[in-house]
C-alpha cells in the first residue's frame, strides 16, 4: 500500500535537514545506472514482470520499467535488485 | 559479482523454473530470505536461476504454493566437486599427501646455483659449502645467507665478494672475483741502480729515475749496470737517487731433456671383468668392479622396446691399467722429452715474459733415448735493483 504523499514529503524534509541519504528514509527508491549495462534498484517491493527485453519492479512510487536487451536479474535480494544486460530506458509507470 | 567466490566455495545449483506464476515465485523466494541470482528468461513460461544449496532445500513449500515446477540444470561449487570424491577417498587422500609432500619439500634447498666463477672453481666452492653444512637437502632456515657469504670470501683470496640468497628451492651464490694484484709501486729511499739479471739484447728502455748506461740494441751480460743511481751535479759533484725504470731485452733460453729408451705409461695389467649397466634418463646403475685405474669399453647395447620408460642396458668390459716402464715409439719418446724440457723452461721463464720464437730439435742417442733441445727467445724486463755499487 502506498504511503500518503504528506508522509513522504515529511520524511524528505527531515532527511534534508539532518543530511541523511533519502534512500535510508522509509521506502524511497534509489536507482543507479552504470553505463548501459548495469542498473541497481534499492528499496523495491517485488518483481512485477521479468522478460529478456522488459523488467518491471514494484516500488513505493509506482512501477519502475526497465527496457533493454538480454536483461537478467543478476542479484535479487530483499532490499536490492541488480539488472544486467543492455539497458535502454528506465521509466516510472503511473 | 563480489559474492561469486563465496557462492562457488559454498556450492550452488542452477535450476529451471517452469510455470505461469514465475514472478510470484521469485518474490516469495526473496521474501523468505533465500539466495537467488542470475535470473533470466529462457522461454515464455520458463526462467533459469542460480540458488544456493540451502535455498534449494527450502524451495519445496514455495514451489507448491506458486504452482511451478523446478528441475536441476547443473550443480556447481567446491562442495559439489568434493562430493564426487566421497566414493574415491583414496584419490582424495592421495592428492592431499602429494600436496603435503610438495609443501614439505619446498622448505629445503634442492638446487645450488653458482654464478660469476671465472678463475675460481665452482665445484670447489660447492665442496666448501658442504664442509660448512650447506648443500642439497639443507633446511632453508639453517642457511644464514649473510654469514655464509662472508665465510665463502675467506675460503679463497680470489673472491672479492660473495653473495648468497635463496629463491624458492634454489640456493644462489654470486661471486665477484678480485682483479690481478697490482705491482708494488712504493718508492725506495735508499740509493739504488738497476743491473741486468740475465744476458740479452736491449729492446726497450724506460727510465723514471737515474741515468741510462745502455742504449736500445746493446748486448748486455748478467750483472751489467743498466741504469745508474749516481747522477752528476755541478753544484755538489754528484748526487744519488733510487734508480727506477724498466729495461726490456731479448733473452735466449736453451734447455734440453732426455727420455727413453723406455717411458712410464699406462698399460693394461691383464686383469679384466665384464659387467652390466642399466641407464634411465641418463642415470646409470651398475655393479662395477673396483680398480684403482681402468678403461671401460661398451661391448653391446640393448634398448628395451615396448617399455614406457626409456630403459637401456649395456654390457661393458672393464680393464685394469697400471703405470709401468714400457718400450715406446719414437714419437712417444719425442713427446716425453719435449714435455720434460718444457717443464724446465716453465720454471726459468717468468710469467710476464713474451715468447718471441720457439724452436725444438731432437737427437737420438746410442741407447735409443731421445733428447729434446728447446730454444726459446723471449722479451722480458731484465732490470733488477741493487745498491749503487752493485751490492745485493
Amino acid at each position: 500500500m502506498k504511503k500518503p504523499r504528506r508522509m513522504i514529503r515529511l520524511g524528505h524534509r527531515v532527511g534534508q535537514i539532518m543530511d541523511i541519504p533519502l534512500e535510508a528514509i522509509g521506502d524511497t527508491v534509489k536507482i543507479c545506472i552504470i553505463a548501459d549495462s548495469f542498473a541497481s534498484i534499492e528499496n523495491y517491493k517485488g518483481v512485477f514482470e521479468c522478460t529478456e527485453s522488459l523488467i518491471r519492479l514494484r516500488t513505493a512510487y509506482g512501477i519502475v520499467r526497465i527496457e533493454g536487451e538480454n536483461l537478467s536479474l543478476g542479484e535479487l535480494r530483499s532490499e536490492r535488485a541488480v539488472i544486467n544486460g543492455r539497458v535502454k530506458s528506465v521509466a516510472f509507470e503511473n | 559479482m563480489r559474492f561469486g567466490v563465496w557462492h562457488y566455495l559454498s556450492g550452488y545449483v542452477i535450476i529451471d523454473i517452469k510455470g505461469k506464476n514465475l514472478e510470484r515465485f521469485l518474490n516469495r523466494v526473496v521474501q523468505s530470505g533465500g539466495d537467488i541470482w542470475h535470473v533470466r528468461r529462457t522461454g515464455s513460461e520458463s526462467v533459469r536461476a542460480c540458488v544456493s544449496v540451502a535455498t534449494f532445500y527450502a524451495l519445496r513449500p514455495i514451489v507448491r504454493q506458486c504452482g511451478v515446477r523446478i528441475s536441476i540444470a547443473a550443480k556447481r561449487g567446491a562442495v559439489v566437486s568434493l562430493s564426487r570424491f566421497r566414493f574415491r577417498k583414496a584419490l582424495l587422500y592421495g592428492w592431499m599427501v602429494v600436496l603435503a609432500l610438495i609443501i614439505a619439500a619446498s622448505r629445503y634447498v634442492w638446487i645450488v646455483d653458482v654464478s660469476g666463477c671465472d678463475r675460481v672453481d665452482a665445484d670447489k666452492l660447492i665442496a666448501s659449502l658442504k664442509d660448512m653444512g650447506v648443500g642439497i637437502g639443507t633446511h632453508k632456515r639453517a642457511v644464514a645467507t649473510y654469514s655464509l657469504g662472508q665465510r665463502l670470501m675467506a675460503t679463497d683470496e680470489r673472491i672479492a665478494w660473495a653473495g648468497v640468497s635463496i629463491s624458492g628451492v634454489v640456493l644462489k651464490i654470486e661471486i665477484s672475483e678480485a682483479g690481478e694484484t697490482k705491482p708494488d709501486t712504493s718508492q725506495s729511499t735508499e740509493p739504488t741502480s738497476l743491473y741486468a739479471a740475465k744476458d740479452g739484447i736491449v729492446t726497450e728502455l724506460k727510465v723514471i729515475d737515474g741515468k741510462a748506461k745502455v742504449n736500445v740494441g746493446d748486448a748486455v751480460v748478467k750483472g751489467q749496470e743498466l741504469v745508474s743511481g749516481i747522477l752528476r751535479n755541478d753544484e755538489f759533484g754528484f748526487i744519488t737517487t733510487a734508480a727506477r725504470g724498466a729495461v726490456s731485452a731479448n733473452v735466449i733460453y736453451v734447455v734440453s731433456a732426455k727420455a727413453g729408451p723406455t717411458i712410464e705409461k699406462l698399460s693394461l695389467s691383464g686383469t679384466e671383468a665384464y659387467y652390466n649397466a642399466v641407464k634411465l634418463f641418463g642415470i646409470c646403475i651398475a655393479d662395477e668392479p673396483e680398480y684403482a685405474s681402468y678403461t671401460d669399453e661398451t661391448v653391446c647395447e640393448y634398448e628395451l622396446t615396448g617399455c614406457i620408460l626409456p630403459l637401456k642396458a649395456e654390457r661393458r668390459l672393464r680393464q685394469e691399467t697400471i703405470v709401468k716402464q714400457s718400450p715406446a715409439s719414437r714419437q712417444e719418446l719425442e713427446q716425453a722429452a719435449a714435455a720434460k724440457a718444457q717443464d724446465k723452461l716453465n720454471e726459468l721463464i717468468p710469467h710476464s715474459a713474451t715468447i718471441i720464437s720457439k724452436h725444438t730439435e731432437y737427437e737420438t742417442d746410442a741407447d735409443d733415448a731421445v733428447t729434446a733441445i728447446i730454444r726459446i727467445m723471449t722479451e722480458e724486463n731484465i732490470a733488477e735493483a741493487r745498491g749503487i755499487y752493485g751490492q745485493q
Side-chain angles (χ1 to χ4, degrees):
Chain A
M1 189 171 109
K2 279 168 70 169
K3 270 192 179 172
R5 282 205 172 267
R6 190 164 54 102
M7 291 294 290
I8 294 169
R9 267 189 254 124
L10 182 62
H12 286 173
R13 190 88 177 120
V14 169
Q16 279 173 5
I17 291 167
M18 299 181 68
D19 273 338
I20 295 173
L22 287 179
E23 65 271 15
I25 300 169
D27 301 329
T28 313
V29 63
K30 179 181 175 184
I31 303 171
C32 285
I33 302 173
I34 297 176
D36 62 346
S37 55
F38 180 91
S40 158
I41 296 99
E42 291 179 34
N43 290 333
Y44 76 104
K45 297 294 179 194
V47 178
F48 192 74
E49 185 179 349
C50 173
T51 64
E52 268 204 355
S53 57
L54 172 66
I55 291 179
R56 292 199 289 174
L57 301 175
R58 206 179 294 116
T59 70
Y61 291 82
I63 291 178
V64 173
R65 183 190 180 90
I66 299 109
E67 288 180 32
E69 293 170 0
N70 295 326
L71 297 178
S72 65
L73 288 162
E75 189 181 326
L76 209 57
R77 294 184 180 270
S78 56
E79 71 282 354
R80 185 175 181 247
V82 169
I83 294 161
N84 295 323
R86 188 146 180 255
V87 176
K88 286 187 178 171
S89 68
V90 177
F92 280 92
E93 283 182 8
N94 291 328
Chain B
M1 189 175 165
R2 64 177 184 275
F3 296 111
V5 174
W6 171 249
H7 283 140
Y8 180 79
L9 289 173
S10 57
Y12 61 96
V13 180
I14 300 173
I15 55 172
D16 285 323
I17 309 141
K18 290 179 182 152
K20 290 190 187 303
N21 301 319
L22 295 170
E23 287 80 10
R24 190 178 167 203
F25 171 81
L26 293 174
N27 292 330
R28 286 280 172 90
V29 170
V30 171
Q31 282 164 14
S32 67
D35 210 359
I36 186 167
W37 66 95
H38 279 162
V39 179
R40 57 200 172 282
R41 179 76 66 161
T42 53
S44 59
E45 289 186 358
S46 64
V47 156
R48 178 168 281 196
C50 299
V51 295
S52 62
V53 174
T55 305
F56 178 76
Y57 287 124
L59 284 180
R60 185 194 288 266
I62 301 172
V63 166
R64 212 179 300 123
Q65 283 170 16
C66 297
V68 296
R69 299 184 309 280
I70 61 170
S71 58
I72 296 174
K75 299 174 193 173
R76 297 271 192 271
V79 173
V80 175
S81 302
L82 283 173
S83 69
R84 292 192 191 121
F85 287 102
R86 66 182 183 274
F87 298 121
R88 302 178 74 182
K89 287 197 174 78
L91 179 63
L92 183 64
Y93 293 145
W95 275 113
M96 287 165 68
V97 167
V98 166
L99 195 63
L101 282 173
I102 289 172
I103 292 170
S106 66
R107 291 166 185 258
Y108 294 85
V109 171
W110 295 110
I111 300 170
V112 179
D113 179 28
V114 180
S115 61
C117 283
D118 191 16
R119 291 175 289 145
V120 177
D121 188 7
D123 292 332
K124 279 189 182 168
L125 212 61
I126 292 172
S128 302
L129 280 172
K130 270 192 185 164
D131 294 336
M132 296 175 201
V134 174
I136 291 174
T138 308
H139 199 284
K140 282 191 209 176
R141 278 195 192 163
V143 178
T145 52
Y146 180 75
S147 62
L148 197 61
Q150 300 287 317
R151 287 160 75 185
L152 277 174
M153 284 164 61
T155 59
D156 196 326
E157 61 183 9
R158 293 174 293 178
I159 298 175
W161 175 82
V164 178
S165 62
I166 297 179
S167 171
V169 294
V170 180
L171 180 68
K172 289 186 180 177
I173 298 174
E174 291 176 49
I175 299 289
S176 284
E177 292 180 353
E180 296 285 344
T181 52
K182 289 184 180 173
D184 182 20
T185 55
S186 59
Q187 295 186 21
S188 170
T189 55
E190 289 187 12
T192 54
S193 294
L194 297 179
Y195 291 83
K198 296 173 188 175
D199 300 343
I201 299 175
V202 176
T203 57
E204 194 180 1
L205 202 57
K206 280 183 194 166
V207 179
I208 300 171
D209 270 329
K211 184 175 167 52
K213 291 291 189 182
V214 294
N215 295 316
V216 173
D218 288 350
V220 297
V221 295
K222 183 176 177 180
Q224 183 174 341
E225 191 181 31
L226 302 172
V227 179
S228 175
I230 301 173
L231 303 174
R232 295 289 170 202
N233 183 281
D234 291 336
E235 189 177 350
F236 299 105
F238 67 93
I239 55 175
T240 58
T241 183
R244 287 189 301 135
V247 179
S248 299
N250 284 341
V251 180
I252 293 177
Y253 297 86
V254 181
V255 170
S256 65
K258 187 177 173 182
T262 58
I263 56 171
E264 278 189 352
K265 58 179 183 178
L266 275 178
S267 307
L268 298 175
S269 66
T271 307
E272 61 183 34
Y274 285 94
Y275 67 98
N276 299 319
V278 175
K279 270 187 182 174
L280 178 64
F281 296 123
I283 300 170
C284 186
I285 303 166
D287 184 19
E288 302 167 344
E290 300 217 358
Y291 298 137
S293 172
Y294 57 86
T295 62
D296 272 339
E297 182 191 335
T298 302
V299 176
C300 51
E301 228 175 57
Y302 308 98
E303 192 165 341
L304 294 178
T305 56
C307 182
I308 298 169
L309 300 172
L311 274 173
K312 281 187 187 174
E314 289 179 353
R315 180 93 175 136
R316 292 182 185 168
L317 172 64
R318 179 163 286 188
Q319 295 170 305
E320 189 187 24
T321 55
I322 52 172
V323 176
K324 62 179 183 184
Q325 292 286 340
S326 309
S329 64
R330 165 98 184 164
Q331 192 178 6
E332 286 174 332
L333 289 174
E334 283 179 2
Q335 283 175 358
K340 281 186 188 174
Q342 188 63 48
D343 287 340
K344 285 185 187 176
L345 274 171
N346 290 341
E347 289 171 14
L348 292 173
I349 299 176
H351 292 296
S352 56
T354 305
I355 296 176
I356 306 294
S357 65
K358 182 179 176 183
H359 180 68
T360 309
E361 287 175 1
Y362 300 98
E363 290 175 356
T364 309
D365 299 341
D367 54 354
D368 290 332
V370 172
T371 302
I373 304 164
I374 300 179
R375 289 187 177 81
I376 282 186
M377 182 159 68
T378 67
E379 185 176 2
E380 57 188 84
N381 179 18
I382 60 170
E384 65 175 3
R386 294 185 198 172
I388 54 174
Y389 299 112
Q391 70 276 21
Q392 295 273 354

